[in-house]
């Protein structure tokens, strides 16, 4: 071990714990990539192509991606799903305008709307039991589009952090009826194209989707794809991505996407993901028998989300319980626990999770987990608020102030208050619950 490398040393130490990984990245640190991948950290050379001017090997890889996902065009990002989201919003509304957003939007989209001058029209997801985020309904979207003819695009997050999938097919039909562009943040759902039922947003009618491949597929962290289903947006797509992207893309990350694509197309990857559905279904059934509440309706077949508060496992004891059982969760908020499962989890991993569920003590104590707050009063646009003079104040002193930035726990990355909104008591209490002590406000 090196002498003064705190980050590297900690990663080595964590690896030695030998816990089961139910978090990103999707490769689970398994022996999937070739040994020489990190020896291929090159740059844009005459024979290695250039990401934003791709006309050689990168273009060939992107054509394979389009074939894999069934899109008009697919574009590589080594800058994570954030870059794909930025490009998607730029393509949809290059000069700003009104866009309908589900309130459970990721902060990267909020930052981009401020940069592009997009005016958000918010819709709050509806949850049947109040324990999870919930979904925006097709009826709510049609009502919004019918009553505001200035809305040019609709932006949804599906699946959400808890695995809840929106009715994209119905929403796509409504958007086409009102000549509205449909964009989907599919960061946690790249694999949905390869389930026994194709649940990928572009397949279901979305114009574009941002897919963070590294979250659920064997791709190095930072590897993502912008998938385009509407040929209207293909010609200028590289320019939109280049506006935000680094001129030094990571070739190991891009190569990992290339390797993953080959795995899915030619080496049995699709079958491996489909077979996993049955295994995860058994785990979900076991949790239901235990009395653990899970999200209702259509959900990600490979994501397990357990409201452990429904059997009395809450607070710091929740994460500790799973760690004691040799498990690293994707997310523990003290009430809900999220587990990302891929074919690169071993059978030992799944047995550990099953045993943790079987042995979980039961003490009924249903509580309310993270919920997207009701719409706060908006007094400034996101752009006005984020570019205004600001100051950071103690959370308890922020009542009545205007938020100058998104304030959100990450994960799940869902803003509790948006820039330009008044900070009220509900916002303060939610942020306190997530350990916030300060917030940035407009001066």
């Amino acid at each position: 071990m090196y002498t003064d490398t705190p980050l590297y040393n900690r990663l080595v130490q964590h690896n030695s714990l030998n816990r089961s990984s139910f978090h990103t990245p999707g490769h689970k640190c398994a022996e999937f990539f070739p040994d020489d991948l990190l020896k291929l950290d090159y740059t844009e050379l005459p024979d290695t192509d250039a990401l934003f001017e791709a006309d050689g090997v990168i273009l060939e890889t992107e054509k394979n991606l389009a074939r894999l996902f069934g899109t008009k065009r697919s574009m590589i990002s080594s800058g994570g799903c954030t870059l794909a989201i930025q490009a998607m919003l730029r393509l949809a509304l290059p000069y700003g305008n009104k866009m309908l957003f589900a309130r459970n939007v990721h902060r990267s989209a909020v930052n981009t709307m401020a940069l592009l001058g997009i005016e958000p029209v918010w819709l709050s997801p509806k949850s049947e039991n109040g324990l999870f985020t919930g979904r925006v309904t097709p009826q709510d979207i049609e009502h919004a589009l019918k009553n505001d003819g200035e809305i040019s695009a609709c932006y949804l997050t599906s699946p959400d952090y808890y695995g809840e999938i929106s009715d994209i097919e119905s929403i796509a039909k409504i958007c086409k009826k009102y000549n509205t562009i449909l964009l989907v943040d599919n960061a946690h759902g790249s694999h949905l194209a390869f389930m026994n039922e194709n649940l990928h947003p572009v397949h279901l009618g979305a114009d574009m989707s941002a897919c963070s491949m590294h979250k659920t597929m064997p791709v190095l962290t930072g590897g993502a794809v912008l998938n385009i289903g509407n040929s209207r947006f293909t010609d200028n797509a590289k320019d939109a991505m280049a506006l935000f992207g680094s001129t030094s893309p990571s070739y190991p990350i891009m190569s990992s996407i290339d390797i993953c694509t080959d795995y899915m197309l030619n080496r049995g990857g699709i079958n491996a993901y489909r077979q996993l559905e049955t295994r995860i279904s058994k785990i979900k059934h076991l949790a239901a028998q235990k009395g653990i509440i899970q999200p209702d309706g259509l959900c990600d077949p490979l994501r397990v989300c357990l409201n452990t508060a429904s059997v009395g496992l809450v607070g710091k004891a929740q994460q500790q319980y799973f760690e004691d059982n040799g498990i690293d969760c994707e997310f523990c908020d003290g009430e809900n626990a999220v587990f990302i499962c891929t074919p690169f989890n071993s059978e030992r991993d799944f047995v550990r999770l099953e045993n943790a569920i079987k042995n979980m003590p039961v003490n009924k104590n249903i509580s309310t987990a993270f919920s997207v707050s009701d719409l706060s009063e908006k007094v400034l646009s996101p752009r006005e608020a984020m570019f205004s003079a600001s100051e950071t104040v103690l959370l308890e002193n922020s009542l009545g102030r205007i938020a100058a930035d998104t304030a959100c726990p990450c994960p799940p990355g869902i803003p509790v208050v948006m820039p330009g909104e008044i900070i009220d008591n509900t916002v303060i209490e939610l942020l306190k619950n997530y350990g916030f002590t300060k917030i940035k406000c407009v001066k």
Side-chain angles (χ1 to χ4, degrees), residues 60-328:
E60 290 179 28
T61 295
E62 292 183 332
K63 286 181 178 179
N64 285 338
L65 278 165
R67 181 158 59 95
L68 175 65
F69 284 102
T71 61
K72 299 293 185 184
R73 188 171 188 182
S74 293
M75 298 195 311
I76 291 173
S77 162
S78 67
C81 205
T82 291
L83 178 56
I85 287 170
Q86 290 168 331
M88 184 168 69
L89 289 171
R90 170 66 178 173
L91 286 167
L93 295 184
Y95 307 109
N97 207 339
K98 283 187 178 181
M99 186 180 292
L100 188 63
F101 286 89
R103 185 71 177 186
N104 59 332
V105 64
H106 191 270
R107 67 179 303 164
S108 59
V110 180
N111 293 341
T112 307
M113 71 174 75
L115 291 172
L116 296 175
I118 294 172
E119 181 183 347
V121 177
W122 298 113
L123 281 180
S124 292
K126 295 177 179 176
S127 174
E128 292 184 11
N129 53 25
L131 300 177
F132 308 101
T133 305
R135 303 169 178 84
V136 171
T137 67
Q139 294 77 15
D140 286 343
I141 288 175
E142 179 152 32
H143 181 268
L145 297 180
K146 185 177 181 180
N147 287 279
D148 191 340
E150 295 182 355
I151 295 174
S152 302
C154 175
Y155 184 105
L156 302 176
T157 301
S158 178
D160 65 15
Y161 207 76
Y162 299 122
E164 299 168 296
I165 296 177
S166 298
D167 186 355
I168 299 297
E169 188 169 15
S170 296
I171 292 169
K173 291 176 181 176
I174 292 168
C175 286
K176 285 179 172 59
K177 175 181 174 181
Y178 290 91
N179 195 29
T180 302
I181 303 161
L182 177 58
L183 313 176
V184 179
D185 175 351
N186 186 53
H188 285 268
S190 299
H191 62 289
L192 293 179
F194 317 115
M195 299 293 91
N196 289 295
E197 177 186 357
N198 190 335
L199 298 171
H200 193 275
V202 170
H203 175 75
L204 297 176
D207 293 290
M208 290 183 276
S209 73
C211 300
S212 189
M213 290 187 72
H214 76 90
K215 285 184 168 63
T216 61
M217 301 186 72
V219 168
L220 292 177
T221 297
V225 173
L226 174 59
N227 281 313
I228 302 174
N230 187 336
S231 56
R232 167 185 171 187
F233 301 108
T234 58
D235 290 345
N236 299 318
K238 282 288 183 180
D239 292 338
M241 188 171 276
L243 180 65
F244 300 99
S246 169
T247 54
S248 299
S250 166
Y251 271 76
I253 291 175
M254 292 193 293
S255 296
S256 75
I257 295 175
D258 193 23
I259 293 166
C260 171
T261 304
D262 177 69
Y263 165 69
M264 298 302 291
L265 285 173
N266 305 313
R267 294 189 285 122
I270 292 176
N271 188 51
Y273 273 82
R274 288 178 177 172
Q275 287 184 341
L276 189 58
E277 282 192 57
T278 301
R279 187 71 183 88
I280 305 307
S281 177
K282 292 178 180 178
I283 294 173
K284 292 183 178 183
H285 181 68
L286 176 66
Q289 287 183 315
K290 185 78 174 184
I292 301 172
I293 296 176
Q294 301 171 72
D296 295 322
L298 182 62
C299 291
D300 179 352
L302 302 188
R303 179 167 300 220
V304 178
C305 178
L306 307 177
N307 180 256
T308 63
S310 59
V311 292
L313 183 60
V314 296
K316 294 181 180 179
Q318 182 195 52
Q319 182 170 331
Q320 189 63 53
Y321 176 78
F322 289 110
E323 289 180 357
D324 290 344
N325 279 272
I327 293 169
D328 274 332

Side-chain angles (χ1 to χ4, degrees), residues 321-341:
Y321 176 78
F322 289 110
E323 289 180 357
D324 290 344
N325 279 272
I327 293 169
D328 274 332
C329 307
E330 164 67 13
F331 175 56
C332 283
D333 65 5
E335 297 182 352
N336 289 323
V338 174
F339 307 83
I340 294 177
C341 309

Side-chain angles (χ1 to χ4, degrees), residues 3 58 432:
T3 303
I58 292 177
K432 280 183 178 178

